[in-house]
Every structure is written in structure tokens, then in C-alpha cells.
Amino acid sequence: AKAAGGNRFALADAEADARAITRHGLTTALPTALDRGEFFIEYQPLVHLGDGSVHGAEALVRWCHPQHGVLGPDRFIPLAEHTGLIVPLGRWVLEESVRQANFWQERHTDGGPLRINVNLSPTQLHHPRLVAETVDVLERSGLEPGALCLEVTESALIGADDDLLKPLRQLAEMGVDIALDDFGTGYSNLANLRRLPVSVLKLDRSFTQGMQQHPADPVDLKIVEGIVSLAHSLDLAVTVEGVETGAQAEQLRQIGCDTAQGWYYARPGAPDRIHSLLLADAV
Ligand code: C2E
Ligand code: CA
Ligand code: CA
Ligand code: CA
């Protein structure tokens, strides 16, 4: 047993080493990856729970690594945050997805405004040129500020002081929506929400996971109901993440959630996918 234990540790060590090597390799490859055009964006639709029509799409970045294949953001966003590459990478994601959203809009003038949701990491939030660069990207693309929603995680705003909130307030005043992402995973005081310049709450996937059982966990349902009514009383819209079944969608609609996102509707995918969903909506 001792030997087996020893082997297990050796194996764990080897795995840890391999991970560290990969992490190191990825970190050194990151800066050139942007210049080489190895990043691409997948879009996942956000759907109105009321009628199932497309409300917008969230931009989710991926890295097509020459050796490791397609890597998800969880593999490299933390590294990019750590090295500071998140600033040019985030700028590229914003530019590219805003350009894409404007393209969709120009082809669907009758379909109402299509929203584009872009994730902002904490480092970007602290960057002194965030507001100026966002204004610049919007102006160059022709997309109206009201079509852009920037998603900021709840944890990035915990204990946020006025210096941190000021750029977000400026963006909100311009008409850009700010969404509180992964809501419910942090420890933020619900009353604190009033202080934040947010207009959308994105309920974390962990809530929808609790609703997966049949029948859904009544406590989870009560919690979601409570959050939704509080959010609405503060004039916040509620988006739910991770909707995987029609039963969940129906329950969330009855509770009064506004929009939803998840595999039940569509996995993140190429921009064409959103384009065809919009065409389908228009008929
Ligand atoms: P997030 O912002 O919470 O994005 C939602 C994640 O949930 C995405 O994972 C999406 O693919 C996944 N998802 C969507 N629907 C379902 C579902 O029904 N079931 C399940 N199990 N999962 C679902 P993804 O694409 O791997 O992104 C992970 C995280 O990486 C994102 O979490 C976001 O925090 C971060 N991220 C992605 N793109 C960017 C970016 O451009 N900039 C920054 N700073 N972060 C990004
Ligand atoms: Ca997000
Ligand atoms: Ca436009
Ligand atoms: Ca989220």
C-alpha cells in the first residue's frame, strides 16, 4: 500500500510538473499569439425568456494553439491577467466583437437592437484608458453605446471604491450596460447593489444547476425568486446562465427572469450561427 501511495504521489508530482511546464509554455507563447492571430471569438446567444427571441450574444474568447489545439479561456485568461497581456487581448476582443455586432445590426435593422456582451477582467477595470478606448472602439465601429454590455464579475467589485467605480459610472452614463457576472458566487451585500452602476444581474450557473433535479430543489427556486424580485425592485434586469433544459427555461420564465443563456438554446459558436438565428427571428 505504501509503494502504491508513493507511486500515486510520484504520478501526482509528474502531473503537477507537466501542468507547470504547459503553464510556462503557454505564458511565454501568449504575447506572440495575439500578433499571430491565434485567438478567436465564439458567440453564445442570449435569449428573451418570454418569447425565445434573440436578445444578444456574449463574446467568449478561445485560443487556437499550434500544438495544444483549441484552449478555453479558463486555461489562459488567468495567465493573461497575471502577465498583463489581458489589456491588449481584452482590447482585441472588444474591438472584434463590437465590429461583429455592428455587422449583425446593419443586416437586421428590423430585428430590433442586438446586444453584444463582452467580459472585462479586473486588470482591464483598473486600466486608466478603459473609458477612452471603449469610446474609441464604439465610435470607429458605428455601434451605439446602448448595444454594448460589459460584464464584470461580482468578485472584481467587492469592496470597490469610487476610483474603481468612476469609469464604470462614466460608461453607464454613456448608455453602456454594465452586468454583474457570476452573481451569487461572491459575498456581496445585496444592499450594496444600489451603489454599483450595474443594470443587469447575471445569475451564476450554480443556481440553474440546483434546478436540474426533478422536481427542482424548492429552496433553490425560492432563492432565485427572491433575487429576481429584489433585482427588479432595483430596476435591474436578470439574465440566467447555464440553462440546459426546457424545464429549467420554463421555470425561470415563470419566476420572472428576463433573459437566459445556455446549452438548451445554443452552445457558443461561430458568428454565422447568430446570424442564422437572427434571420430565423425575422420571419
Ligand atoms: P462566463 O463569463 O461565466 O461565461 C459563461 C461560461 O459558461 C462560458 O464558458 C460558456 O461556454 C459556459 N456555458 C454557457 N452555457 C452553458 C451551459 O448551459 N452549461 C454549462 N455547463 N456551461 C455553459 P467559457 O467560454 O469556457 O468561458 C469561461 C470564462 O472565461 C467566462 O465565464 C469568462 O469569465 C472568461 N472569459 C471568456 N471570454 C473572456 C474574455 O474575452 N475576457 C475575459 N476577461 N474573460 C473571458
Ligand atoms: Ca460572462
Ligand atoms: Ca450601427
Ligand atoms: Ca458568468
Side-chain angles (χ1 to χ4, degrees):
K2 205 175 172 208
N7 282 338
R8 216 157 36 227
F9 284 124
L11 194 62
D13 278 352
E15 279 171 4
D17 284 350
R19 268 200 307 272
I21 290 164
T22 316
R23 205 179 313 121
H24 177 74
L26 292 182
T27 306
T28 47
L30 260 176
T32 46
L34 191 56
D35 297 333
R36 288 193 201 150
E38 290 172 4
F39 294 103
F40 65 100
I41 299 174
E42 288 193 323
Y43 297 88
Q44 187 177 34
L46 276 88
V47 171
H48 287 287
L49 274 163
D51 63 3
S53 63
V54 178
H55 170 74
E58 179 173 4
L60 296 159
V61 68
R62 279 92 180 83
W63 180 3
C64 186
H65 190 283
Q67 277 93 48
H68 302 290
V70 174
L71 302 175
D74 293 335
R75 292 288 298 280
F76 61 85
I77 291 288
L79 304 177
E81 263 281 301
H82 192 68
T83 58
L85 190 83
I86 192 69
V87 172
L89 176 60
R91 194 185 297 133
W92 177 79
V93 171
L94 180 71
E95 177 119 41
E96 176 63 19
S97 51
V98 160
R99 188 194 59 73
Q100 181 64 61
N102 192 56
F103 173 86
W104 285 325
Q105 284 215 342
E106 281 173 358
R107 271 151 195 78
H108 300 278
T109 41
D110 53 338
L114 178 92
R115 327 295 311 278
I116 184 75
N117 285 39
V118 180
N119 293 285
L120 270 196
S121 78
T123 304
Q124 290 175 276
L125 208 57
H126 285 95
H127 195 268
R129 295 197 36 80
L130 172 68
V131 177
E133 279 174 1
T134 306
V135 170
D136 184 53
V137 165
L138 286 169
E139 278 176 356
R140 276 187 290 120
S141 73
L143 192 79
E144 61 277 30
L148 175 65
C149 178
L150 296 174
E151 300 192 0
V152 178
T153 59
E154 195 188 2
S155 56
L157 291 184
I158 285 180
D161 58 10
D162 279 341
D163 286 349
L164 190 66
L165 295 180
K166 197 175 155 211
L168 289 182
R169 284 212 182 90
Q170 286 177 317
L171 289 165
E173 275 159 21
M174 283 165 43
V176 173
D177 272 318
I178 310 292
L180 202 50
D181 204 355
D182 301 343
F183 184 78
T185 56
Y187 305 92
S188 72
N189 180 344
L190 289 178
N192 209 11
L193 281 176
R194 265 185 316 161
R195 222 168 57 81
L196 303 175
V198 298
S199 47
V200 182
L201 280 194
K202 285 193 88 174
L203 263 192
D204 190 67
R205 194 160 69 224
S206 51
F207 290 103
T208 24
Q209 263 158 8
M211 296 174 58
Q212 218 109 269
Q213 305 115 269
H214 291 285
D217 184 339
V219 177
D220 276 323
L221 281 180
K222 282 281 170 225
I223 292 173
V224 175
E225 260 186 274
I227 293 175
V228 171
S229 77
L230 175 99
H232 285 166
S233 72
L234 294 170
D235 266 336
L236 303 174
V238 180
T239 299
V240 278
E241 302 181 327
V243 177
E244 293 182 355
T245 69
Q248 284 177 325
E250 178 51 23
Q251 253 168 346
L252 291 160
R253 189 188 65 77
Q254 283 174 16
I255 287 174
C257 293
D258 303 288
T259 48
Q261 185 179 353
W263 296 348
Y264 172 62
Y265 302 102
R267 300 215 174 203
D272 293 5
R273 182 67 204 282
I274 301 289
H275 195 68
S276 38
L277 286 173
L278 289 169
L279 287 174
D281 268 4
V283 292

